Amino acid sequence: MPSVDTETDRGADFATESLSKWTPRFVANGIDYNDLARIESRIEGWGDWCREFSRIGAEHAELAETALDRGDELGAGRHFRQASMYYHFGSHVWHVDEDERADAHTTAVELFARGGEYLDPPVQRIEAPFEDFAVPGNLRVPDSAAPSPLVVLLPGLDSIKEELSAYEADFHDRGVATLAVDGAAQGETWEQQRMTPRYPELISAVLDHVEALDPDGVDTDRLGVYGVSLGGFYAPQVAANEPRFDACVGISGPFTVGSVSGRSSELVKEQFMWACKSDSVVEVDEITDAMSLRDDIEDLTAPSLMITGANDGIIPPAQTERIAERAPNGEYVLYENGNHVCNNIPYKYRPLAASWLSDHLQ
């Protein structure tokens, strides 16, 4: 594990600013706004972050157990899913204590799995063999009279497959199955594979495995891929290298990831170093400089929709626009009031993206 400088003396002001910055994402992906106020009142410094998020997560997990005791399985599933998100966001960019961070992430995965069987549609875990490890995914198939097309969901730099459950209902409502995957350097897969330009190979292995499984209710001949943030880079990269994908959506993704050393955010630098499993910024830059669509974009022949917000302060909108302009069948949507991943307006872009993908897979 790289020795990342986590600046453990970051105080309450830093934690408060971080809460404010990420509030749209937290709320859009399952965190209750009122809980954020409680967390803010308890945090005295960055070192408290993971513990306080986990404390609220434990409360929601207890609500889930209580729901089960009274026979409310659907309510329990939703409480477990929400509890999972608190542990996830407590650990997603926090590297003060790696053991505490790892425990919180493990708990997030376990709680989501605990509630997965009670969600509608239920969650089926898959493990796709790749070299000497397995790539995990959460498969959900809506109840439909005919087999459903499948959309593979890809997380971003500091995200995990469980967070993407917030995106899934828009697909399920349209009769589309979803498979959220931890790719290279993401979630559970980080233990086995650091960040690498070989990301598409892992996703191809996932498709091989799903085709071999031939799950009930899934039409594996109709496949889409959908990525968020750094996943908005991975989705077109994967679609350009994997002809089985019929359509692609990327949200706020870069055309080129580029050097990390020049980034202004220390948290972003730390997260890239963690993802690359390196304490050398030079080595990290070598990995991220190689992550570009420059040599792949002409092969992205599947219809592709790129969406971003004009107020994105993390990935310049021009980077996302470049993907759409260079892709042979690219489309571009810019929300003038949108932030990074348009998390402040999920009610606008998420139904649009799901509808667009569903139409292209029918």
Side-chain angles (χ1 to χ4, degrees):
M1 175 65 204
S3 58
V4 177
D5 177 9
T6 54
E7 296 185 31
T8 55
D9 60 343
R10 291 168 175 159
D13 287 346
F14 179 84
T16 298
E17 290 169 4
S18 297
L19 278 172
S20 177
K21 178 180 69 175
W22 285 319
T23 288
R25 174 180 172 184
F26 291 163
V27 173
N29 293 328
I31 300 295
D32 188 281
Y33 184 82
N34 299 289
D35 285 338
L36 293 177
R38 288 202 290 155
I39 290 171
E40 181 178 353
S41 69
R42 294 172 176 174
I43 289 180
E44 297 182 358
W46 186 237
D48 300 331
W49 180 278
C50 186
R51 180 179 63 254
E52 295 304 331
F53 268 87
S54 298
R55 180 187 297 187
I56 303 296
E59 293 179 7
H60 285 274
E62 183 61 31
L63 290 174
E65 297 291 358
T66 301
L68 278 182
D69 289 343
R70 65 171 183 267
D72 180 10
E73 293 185 345
L74 182 59
R78 291 173 177 172
H79 282 306
F80 277 125
R81 188 263 165 194
Q82 190 171 24
S84 170
M85 288 303 95
Y86 288 85
Y87 283 96
H88 161 52
F89 285 122
S91 63
H92 79 305
V93 295
W94 190 83
H95 300 288
V96 174
D97 183 318
E98 188 58 25
D99 289 338
E100 184 177 348
R101 186 215 62 80
D103 286 345
H105 169 253
T106 298
T107 303
V109 174
E110 291 175 346
L111 287 172
F112 187 86
R114 177 98 163 80
E117 65 180 295
Y118 306 120
L119 295 176
D120 183 18
V123 177
Q124 174 186 346
R125 181 180 173 89
I126 72 156
E127 295 185 349
F130 179 78
E131 296 182 347
D132 60 349
F133 65 94
V135 181
N138 291 328
L139 175 66
R140 301 180 70 189
V141 183
D143 188 11
S144 179
S148 301
L150 176 67
V151 170
V152 177
L153 302 173
L154 306 179
L157 172 65
D158 56 25
S159 186
I160 58 177
K161 61 187 181 301
E162 287 75 18
E163 184 182 349
L164 296 178
S165 61
Y167 296 76
E168 294 171 349
D170 285 317
F171 289 104
H172 301 155
D173 290 345
R174 291 167 173 79
V176 177
T178 56
L179 175 60
V181 175
D182 281 334
Q186 295 169 327
E188 295 176 80
T189 303
W190 175 85
E191 295 286 348
Q192 308 292 339
Q193 177 65 67
R194 71 176 183 171
M195 184 173 284
T196 173
R198 296 181 63 202
Y199 192 102
E201 297 178 32
L202 279 74
I203 305 305
S204 291
V206 169
L207 295 190
D208 292 342
H209 184 65
V210 171
E211 288 182 346
L213 284 177
D214 192 21
D216 290 341
V218 176
D219 181 357
T220 56
D221 288 328
R222 292 183 290 159
L223 297 171
V225 61
Y226 183 115
V228 177
S229 191
L230 187 59
F233 164 81
Y234 288 134
Q237 182 196 32
V238 164
N241 285 274
E242 179 48 79
R244 285 176 285 185
F245 282 115
D246 302 300
C248 168
V249 169
I251 312 298
S252 294
F255 185 91
T256 298
V257 177
S259 299
V260 171
S261 57
R263 305 261 179 159
S264 59
S265 170
E266 290 301 318
L267 282 182
V268 170
K269 290 180 184 177
E270 290 169 11
Q271 191 64 19
F272 270 107
M273 293 173 72
W274 179 84
C276 292
K277 296 188 177 183
S278 175
D279 57 6
S280 167
V281 177
V282 173
E283 182 180 16
V284 173
D285 278 352
E286 289 175 349
I287 293 171
T288 56
D289 281 341
M291 295 171 63
S292 175
L293 295 172
R294 189 175 297 107
D295 296 330
D296 294 325
I297 195 66
E298 296 302 323
D299 295 323
L300 181 55
T301 55
S304 300
L305 174 65
M306 301 297 133
I307 299 173
T308 195
N311 297 323
D312 191 329
I314 297 177
I315 303 296
Q319 284 272 316
T320 307
E321 182 180 15
R322 186 180 177 189
I323 301 174
E325 287 190 349
R326 292 284 306 279
N329 294 294
E331 300 178 37
Y332 180 59
V333 172
L334 176 70
Y335 288 102
E336 291 295 338
N337 62 332
N339 62 8
H340 183 56
V341 192
C342 297
N343 279 318
N344 60 328
I345 49 170
Y347 53 88
K348 290 185 177 181
Y349 87 88
R350 287 182 181 176
L352 169 69
S355 176
W356 185 95
L357 259 179
S358 177
D359 289 345
H360 281 80
L361 297 178
Q362 297 300 333

